């Protein structure tokens, strides 16, 4: 994979997202969110994609900035991480790595409101955009309460409508349901919502126009959540399972997910890391990514490499088998990392690698981080490179359709048409 010095990050200040003007990408390979376009041109004007293909050069005008890919670079939609938990500074760090949108899966509403305000404020440095579930549904003492003391809880189906109404009032973009007893996370048995309450929550969410996404850790919980009517799973199961995805319970799970038209966010990076895997540590050794890592990133990777982070009873091979079965059944796969304090943005490049190792093609993996999450979560203005859509873009050296690790060779990042990496553009 071609390697060049990693781009520095710009702090454009006021007006960073105004993007009044145009940028012409010449002779770039394009992955448009679903398919490859070789050696084409893309025109961005006023923060949106204006033209793709032969008309782009003619429509550009004399004052367009030009980025010449010389046939060696690939232009992608900005990446979408479909499972995160933001902290202060996380969205700015994510943007460094080409992640232009994060889908947060549980956080205090006040934190999310502040992040959305910061994103829209032209006087602050740019960050990734964010959508969030806000407070996730859980039972008193259940999963999630250890992270957010005082989080609202419920016990019965009769409380579901009120719980969802409160989340809508707080600004939640979708509903997250914790349906896990904590055993796969090494906590020992903890209380868990019962299936009728999960079903009532899913129904109440749908009545309010929200997606319902379930946190699960076991194959049994995944099946029960799908049966209860959730729209997607925020993890693939990671308990011990047989290795054959073509028969038995795993095949039945995949068939059920396909029948219910549910999506799956595997979070293989988190599962592998929490199981004690050290593959993620190569992020710190990658000359393309290492300069962009934060101190928090390096500290976490150092602990992981040394074995200081305790391994939990998770089974990455079961998770990968579940992903292979889901892909074979036609279940939409969304790339997500479940990152919390560190590795926002960086970990998604590892997730793409693990998705390919689990059986996705490189094109399927890239779609899992672009068009598919945008479609699943109703973000119709992003996730693809097509006229009229937002110009959230990632330019990389090489061809990630030939080698998925090429997504790490970041040449530039654009957010709503404004360049937020320091790779210079040429005056036209």
């Amino acid at each position: 994979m071609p390697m060049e010095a990693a781009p520095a990050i710009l702090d454009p200040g006021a007006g960073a997202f105004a993007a009044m003007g145009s940028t012409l990408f010449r002779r770039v390979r394009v992955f448009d969110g679903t398919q490859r376009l070789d050696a084409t041109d893309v025109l961005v004007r006023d923060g949106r994609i204006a033209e793709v293909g032969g008309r782009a050069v003619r429509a550009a005008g004399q004052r367009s900035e030009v980025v010449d890919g010389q046939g060696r670079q690939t232009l992608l939609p900005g990446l979408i991480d479909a499972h995160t938990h933001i902290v202060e500074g996380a969205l700015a760090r994510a943007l460094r790595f080409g992640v232009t949108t994060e889908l947060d899966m549980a956080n205090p509403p006040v934190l999310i409101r502040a992040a959305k305000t910061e994103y829209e404020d032209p006087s602050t440095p740019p960050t990734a955009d964010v959508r969030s579930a806000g407070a996730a549904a859980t039972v008193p003492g259940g999963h999630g309460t250890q992270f957010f003391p005082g989080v609202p809880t419920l016990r019965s189906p009769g409380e579901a409508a009120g719980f969802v109404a409160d989340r809508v009032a707080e600004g939640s973009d979708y509903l997250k349901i914790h349906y896990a007893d904590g055993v796969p996370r090494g906590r020992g048995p903890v209380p868990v919502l019962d299936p009728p309450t999960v079903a009532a929550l899913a129904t109440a969410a749908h009545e309010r126009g929200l997606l319902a996404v379930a946190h699960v850790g076991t194959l049994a919980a995944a099946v029960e959540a799908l049966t209860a009517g959730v729209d997607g799973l925020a993890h693939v199961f990671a308990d011990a399972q047989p290795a054959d995805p073509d028969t038995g319970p795993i095949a039945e799970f995949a068939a059920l997910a396909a029948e219910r038209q549910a999506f799956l966010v595997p979070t293989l990076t988190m599962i592998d890391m929490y199981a004690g895997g050290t593959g993620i540590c190569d992020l710190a050794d990658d000359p393309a990514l290492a300069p962009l890592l934060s101190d928090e990133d390096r500290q976490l990777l150092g602990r992981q490499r040394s074995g200081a982070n305790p391994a939990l009873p998770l089974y990455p091979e079961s998770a990968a088998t579940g992903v292979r079965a889901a892909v074979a059944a036609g279940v939409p796969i969304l790339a997500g990392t479940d990152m919390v304090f560190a590795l926002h943005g960086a970990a998604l490049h590892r997730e793409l690698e693990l998705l390919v190792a689990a059986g996705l093609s490189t094109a399927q993996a890239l779609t899992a981080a672009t068009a598919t999450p945008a479609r699943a979560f109703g973000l119709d203005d992003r996730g693809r490179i097509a006229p009229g859509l937002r110009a959230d873009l990632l330019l990389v050296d090489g061809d990630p359709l030939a080698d998925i690790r090429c997504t790490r060779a970041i040449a530039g990042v654009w957010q709503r048409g404004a360049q937020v990496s320091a790779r210079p553009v040429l005056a036209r």
Side-chain angles (χ1 to χ4, degrees), residues 255-320:
L256 176 63
E259 177 188 336
R260 296 298 177 106
Q261 298 182 321
F263 58 79
L264 175 64
V265 190
T267 64
L268 297 176
T269 297
M270 179 277 295
I271 291 168
D272 184 66
M273 187 172 72
Y274 282 9
T278 58
I280 197 168
C281 298
D282 74 353
L283 297 176
D285 302 324
D286 190 321
L289 295 185
L292 302 179
L293 295 173
S294 67
D295 290 341
E296 293 89 349
D297 296 336
R298 295 187 184 93
Q299 291 167 7
L300 184 149
L301 294 173
R303 292 194 302 271
Q304 191 71 16
R305 194 191 300 272
S306 69
N309 290 333
L312 301 180
L314 300 174
Y315 298 87
E317 61 276 14
S318 291

